Amino acid sequence: MIDRNWFEQVICMTEAKVPSDMIDHLCRELGDEAELLPYILLNSEAFSAWPETLETLRQAIRGVIRPRVLPIRKGHEATDVEREHLRNSLFSLFEASENDSEHKPSTWAAVSVIGKFRSCQSGAKKDPRWFID
Amino acid sequence: MNLFLPSDETPSFSVVINTFNRANLLGDAISGVLQLDYPKFELIVVNGPSTDNSEEVLKRWHGQIKHLHCDAPNLSESRNVGIEAASGDIVAYLDDDAVPHPLWLRYLARHYANPAIGGVGGFTVDNTGMRWQVRKTVCDRFGNAHYPDDFFDERALNFPGTPYYPSLLGTNSSFRRRALFEIGGFDHTFAYLLDETDVCLRLVDAGWQVVYEPSAMIFHQFAESHIRSVNNKPKTLYPSVVSKSYFINRHGQVEGYGEAADALRSYREEVFRANAWLEEHGNISSSHRVNLDNDLESGMSAGIERANHATIENKMFGDMDVDNIAEPFLQAERADQMRIVLVSQGLPPENDAGIARWTKLLAQGLRDLGIAVHLVSRAQSEPLRRFRDGMWFHEIVRNTTDMSRIAAQYQVPESGMADWMSAVSRELDFIKTFGLDLVSFPIWDLEALPVLDDPELASVISLHTTYKLAKQFKPEWSSRVIYGRTFVDKVIAAETRALKQVPAILANSQAVIDEIENGYDIEIADKCRIVPHGTPDILKSQNITIADKVMRHEYDGIIRVLFAGRFEPRKGYDLALQVADKLQEERQIEFVFAGAEVNPDTARGIKAQLGIDPMQLSNAKFHGEVDRATLDSLFAESDVVLMPSRFESFGLVAIEAMSAGSPVLALASGGLKEVVTEGVSGFLYKNDQQFVKGAVEKLVELANNSVQLSRLQESSHVTFSDHFSIDVMAKSAAQFYRDIIIKREETA
């Protein structure tokens, strides 16, 4: 719902031609203040006395950059990062296991990392347990 | 690679449900078990000593399940009755307030390929359907539970005399029947609590192995019982205290007599403290606390005494009758193996509008045919998964994980559309683990659109109102330029692509197919199947007959004419008002208008437009917007229904009228031409003028000829039963779904 006073001020400033008995209806129908400018530009001859402003607004519309390329697949990217991290963790555990006899990782730590790695695999989608928090 | 054992190598299962006064949930537990995907299993239900209508519920499955009784409120006794009746290689337990994942037995079964395995349990989901209730549990010999990480390997604990051992949850446990016989089954002293823990420990001590299978899932309602309230506050502690003290004395003494005595002492102190805490925090009354404290004292005495008796008697086994010979294996059979998802933004009772109501009615009809049905809808607040009335309900919330990708791939708005598509896709991934065959979703909002590209699933779009067709009735979509271009126009473009891409379309009338083809300038007829809407039998639900209606009419000589709809030009309310206006002198004809509020403002508007003041109509009553129950009553009370809609893709009100045994006077427009049969279930008129003139004449004629009216009422209801019942709709839709699944499999 748009504030009626604000609506009337905009009409006054832009010299838009909106019948007074339509204002309440449009306040409800447009709902959002952002919808007012395009409405009065397209339907109510707003700025008709200000050709330079009109031209600037038209240029601004032409200048909008529209997406032409598919965005990166965010969901899959996140999974890949997580898998990479777990892969590195697992490799570190193997290395520690081979080289450092005093700080050998526990079997539990390794099993835990392997388990988490499995949960990131595409095949995990077939297992119902991964859909419960 | 197959995850599971080949069917010919799978062990047979006896699934046992022990029930006690849970009639409201028992039906769902049984329906859930009978949807299991497993080649060899029987279902045993042990009831008792229930005082509710559990027996009545069980009668529905007479001959399909083994139905036994237990005279004592003792879970171990009830479990042993189940084992004694079991003929399967494995006995699996779930509670009467629980439902299994369809692959529950398949996941459990693969462990029994190892002959050393005596017991396997799964993970249990809580009553939200979204979170775990219990996963791995390891107990000590005093019955105290510990909860290790999911990746903890419990197999190493399986040796006789072990201080810790895997303890399965009763509602999600299974045991090799031979192993249960070897240890004598359950010990009857465990009337409640620790019954399955005792069995697990005795199995491990006897040399068997007990393991967890995380993917063997049970959905647990965790309902109220005779022991606990719905918010898990104890009603009585006696049976659980007996169990605990008995357990400590029976098994804890291996750790040393002093240790066992310490365990008993600390348990007693802990329970006293817990009772005091509950009282101090206002969870229980003072008198209830006194009762619980008394339960503790008397329960401990009883538990210790029974443990002493058991020691003196050298009790080595459980209390089941090992000599009992079970009845032959009673193979459980599912009526239909098809599993489908129906998507709808809302569902009754919260949302009783068009798509929501149709979806729920279709789901119920499909369920009654034995088809497994999942309903995916938007959550009112928190997400939820539950099995209720034989159907799975998935209430989801918007999800942004794949939102951007979906928005880009399908060129739909991110917020309000791609976010919901992402949520639906994720839930469908979960339902796929159930063995899903087909997804049906409405054209409105296209919430399962990505499923069209899923090679694993068959998909159907059901035709209802579309954004493009609705646009003419939504002036705000044109006024709101930003919303129109960034949302509405994108959705219309996506609708067009979806209609071209989808392999199969369910339509309720030829009219809606024509309308879509004209509106979008595409051809879809070849992939459409017309399945008319169905609706419940109002006469049946109101418990009246056509004879009752005739008698009522003959008694007071009045015929009641109903108009049900909004006061919109499309619904032809103006024509209905004109008919009422012209019949003001006919005292034997009364009009009822339901669906729109008439106040002085609206009455002035109508008078200015039509020259009729509805508030001055002496023969009309206006009910405004009414709920479903009131509307059904109005249909039942009506003798004739007016439906002068200028366009209806189907004409739901017309079939609701027929289901109430009321003939329909309608405009011959849209789907109404297909729904109303001239002279059988009503009369059709070509245009506005003919409708008003024809309806006035027909109503006067019917008011003076009760024989003709009663014949029409009879034939209207027959038409409904033959063409527009839920059963007819569900059977036609099921056949369509089956054809699509077969076609997809053949193509693949």
Side-chain angles (χ1 to χ4, degrees), chain A residues 29-30 34-35 38-39 42 70-71 73-75 108 111-112 115-116 125-133, chain B residues 101 107 129-132 149 151-152 214-215 217 385 402 404-405 408 429-430 433 476 479-483:
Chain A
E29 188 164 287
L30 296 176
E35 292 283 3
Y39 180 83
L42 291 171
L70 288 180
R73 298 173 67 158
K74 286 180 183 172
W108 195 339
V111 169
S112 179
K116 284 171 185 160
K125 274 178 125 183
K126 296 188 185 304
D127 192 332
R129 64 185 286 208
W130 302 117
F131 293 88
I132 309 295
D133 296 327
Chain B
H101 185 281
Y107 278 110
M130 310 298 292
R131 295 189 294 266
W132 295 117
D149 186 88
F151 304 110
F152 177 80
S215 300
M217 283 172 25
R385 296 180 184 125
D402 273 342
S404 299
R405 179 183 66 77
D429 280 340
F430 175 56
T433 70
E476 69 273 20
S479 311
R480 299 171 65 189
V481 178
I482 297 174
Y483 179 72

Side-chain angles (χ1 to χ4, degrees), chain B residues 99-340:
Chain B
V99 177
H101 185 281
L103 297 181
W104 181 48
L105 297 184
R106 287 200 181 269
Y107 278 110
L108 292 174
R110 57 186 187 177
H111 292 269
Y112 286 104
N114 176 354
I117 296 291
V120 186
F123 282 13
T124 302
V125 185
D126 72 6
N127 58 2
T128 66
M130 310 298 292
R131 295 189 294 266
W132 295 117
Q133 180 192 340
V134 178
R135 284 179 278 180
K136 287 193 176 180
T137 306
V138 166
C139 281
D140 61 22
R141 299 193 78 95
F142 307 116
N144 298 315
H146 307 272
Y147 305 100
D149 186 88
D150 284 3
F151 304 110
F152 177 80
D153 189 349
E154 71 279 4
R155 288 175 300 181
L157 298 174
N158 284 305
F159 58 91
T162 178
Y164 297 96
Y165 51 93
S167 173
L168 309 180
L169 187 69
T171 190
N172 191 352
S173 58
S174 71
F175 303 98
R176 198 182 289 276
R177 190 163 60 100
R178 190 161 64 81
L180 287 173
F181 269 72
E182 196 177 302
I183 63 165
F186 287 77
D187 185 328
H188 290 178
T189 301
F190 296 102
Y192 178 78
L193 200 75
L194 293 171
D195 49 310
E196 67 276 48
T197 306
D198 170 70
V199 162
C200 289
L201 177 52
R202 286 190 288 122
L203 282 175
V204 173
D205 278 347
W208 292 95
Q209 293 182 22
V210 176
V211 295
Y212 272 100
E213 167 50 65
S215 300
M217 283 172 25
I218 290 286
F219 295 81
H220 193 199
Q221 291 288 319
F222 207 64
E224 185 175 19
S225 72
H226 67 296
I227 302 288
R228 67 176 185 233
S229 67
V230 73
N231 47 10
N232 205 21
K233 285 171 200 153
K235 290 179 177 175
T236 172
L237 285 176
Y238 182 80
S240 52
V241 172
V242 172
S243 294
K244 179 76 172 179
S245 3
Y246 181 75
F247 193 100
I248 291 172
N249 276 280
R250 289 291 285 155
H251 300 299
Q253 290 181 6
V254 174
E255 303 284 0
Y257 291 106
E259 296 287 329
D262 284 346
L264 274 174
R265 191 180 310 115
S266 63
Y267 171 66
R268 183 170 178 273
E269 288 167 1
E270 183 191 328
V271 176
F272 273 134
R273 271 199 306 275
N275 292 346
W277 188 94
L278 286 170
E279 186 200 348
E280 283 161 16
H281 287 79
N283 291 313
I284 56 174
S285 65
S286 300
S287 60
H288 190 51
R289 179 195 164 179
V290 170
N291 289 340
L292 293 181
D293 287 348
N294 288 339
D295 285 346
L296 178 61
E297 296 290 22
S298 55
M300 287 197 81
S301 300
I304 293 166
E305 191 184 334
R306 287 184 203 182
N308 291 339
H309 273 292
T311 306
I312 292 164
E313 291 164 4
N314 197 22
K315 182 175 180 176
M316 304 290 287
F317 300 101
D319 294 316
M320 70 173 279
D321 178 4
V322 293
D323 296 324
N324 185 67
I325 297 169
E327 292 287 315
F329 191 77
L330 182 60
Q331 174 67 45
E333 284 182 18
R334 232 181 82 182
D336 199 307
Q337 293 295 320
M338 187 159 58
R339 184 175 293 276
I340 67 160

Side-chain angles (χ1 to χ4, degrees), chain B residues 362-374:
Chain B
L362 177 60
Q364 288 168 340
L366 293 169
R367 171 205 60 194
D368 293 344
L369 296 175
I371 294 166
V373 184
H374 296 249

Side-chain angles (χ1 to χ4, degrees), chain B residues 357 371 454 597 719:
Chain B
R357 181 171 161 78
I371 294 166
D454 189 332
E597 201 69 48
T719 304

Side-chain angles (χ1 to χ4, degrees), chain A residues 29-32 34-44 61, chain B residues 471 475-490:
Chain A
E29 188 164 287
L30 296 176
D32 185 350
E35 292 283 3
L36 184 54
L37 181 61
Y39 180 83
I40 58 176
L41 267 172
L42 291 171
N43 301 304
S44 309
I61 291 167
Chain B
K471 198 174 177 181
E476 69 273 20
W477 287 1
S478 301
S479 311
R480 299 171 65 189
V481 178
I482 297 174
Y483 179 72
R485 291 190 185 174
T486 60
F487 197 93
V488 178
D489 290 353
K490 276 187 168 184

